[in-house]
Amino acid sequence: MDLDAYRFKPPKPNYLPKDVEVDEPVVEEYNIPMGRADDRENAIFYNKMKRAAQEYNIVRPKGYTVSYHANPEMEKHHFGQTHPMKPWRLTLTKSLVSSYGMPFAMDNYLTRAATYEELKSFHASEYLEYLGTAPAEDMPRDIDNPDKEVKFNLGGSDCPLFHGLYDYCSMSAGGSLDAARKICNKQSDIAIAWGGGLHHAKRSEASGFCYINDIVIAVLQLLRCYPRVLYIDIDVHHGDGVEEAFFSTDRVMTVSFHKYQPDIFFPGTGGLDDNGPKSEHNPGAHHAINVPLNDGITDEQYQYLFESIIGKINEHFRPSVIALQCGADSLAGDRLGRFNLQVQGHGACVEYCKKLGIPMIIFGGGGYTPRNVARAWSFETSIAIDCHTKINPIIPQHAPWRDRFIHDTLFPTLEQILGEPRANRNTAKRLQEIIQHVHDQLRFVNHAPSVQSAIIPPDLEGIRDDVEARLKEEHEEKNDGLRQDREEGIGIPMEF
């Protein structure tokens, strides 16, 4: 296998603090289930993509535009052999999305890494400087000594200092920021950034496998153009980093559906009564909605809860844009999650939000069984482009790494995934109590919150223009020969 394409590259100087000297990181090679296809193999796969798009009648959706934002360089990074986070899940997702021919129905963007200044729109300078200059460590510091101090929570088992870390974080944030800008510029109505969704990171601290909070950076961009943002989180873990970032504003409402066992399940926050600041004088009061769940919740229960709560929030808060985090660790069979949620139930949340007709960014997030992540995110991509009822649930024969899915369907049963479903500890009475509590909180939310903001997100327009102009010129030089393929006419219909 040719590993040259999978060597890490040091972060570009433009993306690092200007006053910090950075040594080139020593790059560790590792084994991943990817080979490098040659031009002939790529051409064969491209033709199979086209045939799949034609077979399933995958065309651009009517009346709205969907964009797909990704940076393949993210996929080559590695948290460590025993770490649950596997960036390869992005490769598996991309391969499945492509196998169905879905890219022909979307605007596909190769995103750049976020600059240091863009990351600084939320994160503290001293944290970014340490993140960009701390040397990689092959062994987490808390393995031999659990009490060993780690700076900014970096270097432990949860958030290891791996090779190419800063570059990986910058690319994740860059994809989400690009998605937000396409929404702001009206170039896209639904923007998909599966490489983002890292909702635990704080301003000056890594947390829960998350180093840079790309969601907060993207939402800050949205707030420059939209008065109210509704953030929805369906990861199995509480979206604490995003909630904390927007704790004291009425321009962002955060809603998190998650497992809640404060003594034993990370991060231990997000109780039903945690609804933002306790002071009624704080604009953020009642603007943090938490939906704590127990093990074993089913598709039917989850969908009922989601629609009952999000429908009422939409009615009261009247968001102008939605940021939806689709962490796939809430699926049955996840390495860390403990729900009985299937791909269909997870996707129903995306479908419901899409029906609201509000501009939306769809982020990735958690998900530690790569085959399940790829199934869910591919199905949710098909929902975004309105072809989920057209595609064959049987995974295409030409899909790369098809054997990695074990079962050949997008929708394996609970018996196939778990053998025996987990005990459901969510009673109908408890679900009604949650719904009633949320509805009671919403009575205190004004129908049209103030759109004024004491702190306006920084204007990074000049920085963005300089960087993107240079990258666009380089990209056009490399890809001029692909114009014929782009003009081939596949996936064209998009009439109202």
Side-chain angles (χ1 to χ4, degrees):
M1 180 172 66
D2 182 1
L3 284 173
D4 287 345
Y6 303 115
R7 293 180 183 275
F8 296 105
K9 298 177 183 177
K12 296 179 182 178
N14 178 61
Y15 300 147
L16 288 174
K18 304 299 185 292
D19 57 345
V20 177
E21 291 186 4
V22 182
D23 294 326
E24 227 177 80
V26 178
V27 175
E28 178 188 13
E29 295 182 357
Y30 60 93
N31 293 320
I32 51 177
M34 290 191 289
R36 186 179 182 183
D38 58 29
D39 290 342
R40 177 178 169 277
E41 290 171 323
N42 283 331
I44 291 171
F45 181 70
Y46 181 76
N47 285 327
K48 289 179 178 178
M49 281 174 57
K50 287 198 295 186
R51 284 198 294 272
Q54 291 162 349
E55 178 184 350
Y56 302 129
N57 190 28
I58 292 178
V59 295
R60 289 179 173 267
K62 294 182 180 180
Y64 65 97
T65 300
V66 179
S67 57
Y68 194 93
H69 306 259
N71 188 329
E73 294 298 313
M74 275 190 72
E75 304 163 18
K76 304 169 187 176
H77 290 77
H78 201 242
F79 281 59
Q81 293 292 347
T82 60
H83 199 284
M85 178 64 88
K86 307 293 183 188
W88 183 67
R89 66 201 182 133
L90 297 173
T91 307
L92 205 56
T93 300
K94 179 180 68 179
S95 74
L96 194 51
V97 167
S98 299
S99 296
Y100 278 107
M102 295 184 207
F104 293 113
M106 303 181 282
D107 292 335
N108 300 282
Y109 294 98
L110 180 64
T111 61
R112 63 169 173 82
T115 65
Y116 172 75
E117 288 81 2
E118 287 167 337
L119 298 179
K120 202 169 69 169
S121 65
F122 173 60
H123 291 283
S125 298
E126 59 271 20
Y127 173 68
L128 293 175
E129 289 171 11
Y130 186 79
L131 188 70
T133 58
E137 299 176 353
D138 293 329
M139 181 70 69
R141 299 180 189 180
D142 55 359
I143 294 294
D144 296 326
N145 182 3
D147 299 322
K148 189 170 183 179
E149 183 180 354
V150 293
K151 192 174 183 180
F152 301 116
N153 200 32
L154 290 167
S157 299
D158 273 2
C159 298
L161 289 165
F162 59 84
H163 298 278
L165 171 60
Y166 186 92
D167 214 11
Y168 174 85
C169 296
S170 301
M171 288 186 283
S172 172
S176 298
L177 190 54
D178 186 49
R181 283 176 171 150
K182 294 299 186 291
I183 295 287
C184 286
N185 295 339
K186 310 292 194 244
Q187 292 173 263
S188 181
D189 299 290
I190 299 176
I192 300 171
W194 293 130
L198 306 180
H199 58 170
H200 293 307
K202 312 298 194 299
R203 184 173 181 270
S204 299
E205 181 182 302
S207 178
F209 316 160
C210 305
Y211 303 82
I212 291 292
N213 201 314
D214 62 285
I215 300 171
V216 172
I217 292 170
V219 170
L220 287 172
Q221 174 64 32
L222 294 175
L223 288 172
R224 300 198 65 82
C225 302
Y226 293 94
R228 292 176 298 283
V229 179
L230 173 59
Y231 171 69
I232 306 170
D233 191 315
I234 59 172
D235 195 288
V236 78
H237 301 95
H238 177 226
D240 57 336
V242 183
E243 180 183 285
E244 180 181 304
F246 298 108
F247 199 65
S248 294
T249 178
D250 60 359
R251 295 186 63 197
V252 180
M253 177 170 281
T254 61
V255 189
S256 179
F257 298 77
H258 52 268
K259 176 177 174 176
Y260 182 66
Q261 282 185 281
D263 296 332
I264 62 172
F265 195 73
F266 180 85
T269 53
L272 185 60
D273 294 326
D274 296 330
N275 300 121
K278 299 304 179 186
S279 171
E280 295 294 335
H281 299 292
N282 191 313
H286 311 291
H287 282 73
I289 303 297
N290 284 298
V291 184
L293 304 169
N294 296 321
D295 289 349
I297 192 166
T298 64
D299 279 6
E300 294 76 20
Q301 289 178 316
Y302 202 94
Q303 186 174 351
Y304 172 66
L305 260 181
F306 188 88
E307 295 183 4
S308 299
I309 289 171
I310 298 303
K312 186 62 74 170
I313 287 173
N314 182 53
E315 178 185 322
H316 279 262
F317 183 62
R318 295 181 182 173
S320 36
V321 63
I322 292 174
L324 175 60
Q325 196 266 22
C326 292
D329 47 6
S330 48
L331 290 170
D334 186 79
R335 186 172 171 184
L336 300 183
R338 293 293 182 270
F339 290 168
N340 286 327
L341 203 59
Q342 295 175 262
V343 169
Q344 299 94 314
H346 202 266
C349 300
V350 176
E351 188 172 6
Y352 184 78
C353 290
K354 177 173 171 281
K355 286 177 181 176
L356 296 177
I358 301 169
M360 176 167 61
I361 299 180
I362 303 175
F363 301 95
Y368 309 104
T369 303
R371 60 181 178 272
N372 291 344
V373 176
R375 282 187 174 99
W377 290 354
S378 298
F379 180 59
E380 285 156 9
T381 301
S382 75
I383 290 171
I385 60 177
D386 204 25
C387 73
H388 56 294
T389 59
K390 302 177 183 177
I391 59 175
N392 190 335
I394 301 300
I395 294 172
Q397 290 292 333
H398 60 272
W401 308 292
R402 191 174 188 270
D403 59 318
R404 298 273 168 173
F405 290 95
I406 300 180
H407 304 291
D408 65 358
T409 174
L410 282 179
F411 310 122
T413 65
L414 285 177
E415 288 70 24
Q416 288 175 314
I417 299 169
L418 297 173
E420 184 176 338
R422 299 188 184 279
N424 186 355
R425 306 188 186 283
N426 300 273
T427 64
K429 181 173 181 282
R430 179 57 176 165
L431 298 187
Q432 286 302 323
E433 288 173 354
I434 292 173
I435 292 171
Q436 187 58 51
H437 177 86
V438 172
H439 288 187
D440 289 343
Q441 289 298 314
L442 292 173
R443 289 168 47 214
F444 298 98
V445 175
N446 295 326
H447 276 276
S450 166
V451 298
Q452 296 181 351
S453 177
I455 301 176
I456 299 175
D459 189 355
L460 300 171
E461 199 73 24
I463 299 167
R464 184 195 75 176
D465 289 347
D466 290 346
V467 175
E468 292 192 352
R470 173 175 56 80
L471 294 179
K472 182 178 180 182
E473 186 176 339
E474 293 174 2
H475 183 70
E476 286 177 349
E477 287 176 4
K478 291 179 182 177
N479 293 282
D480 192 50
L482 298 176
R483 184 177 300 170
Q484 258 188 331
D485 286 338
R486 292 199 299 270
E487 294 175 353
E488 202 162 356
I490 295 175
I492 290 303
M494 195 185 99
E495 299 87 9
F496 284 95

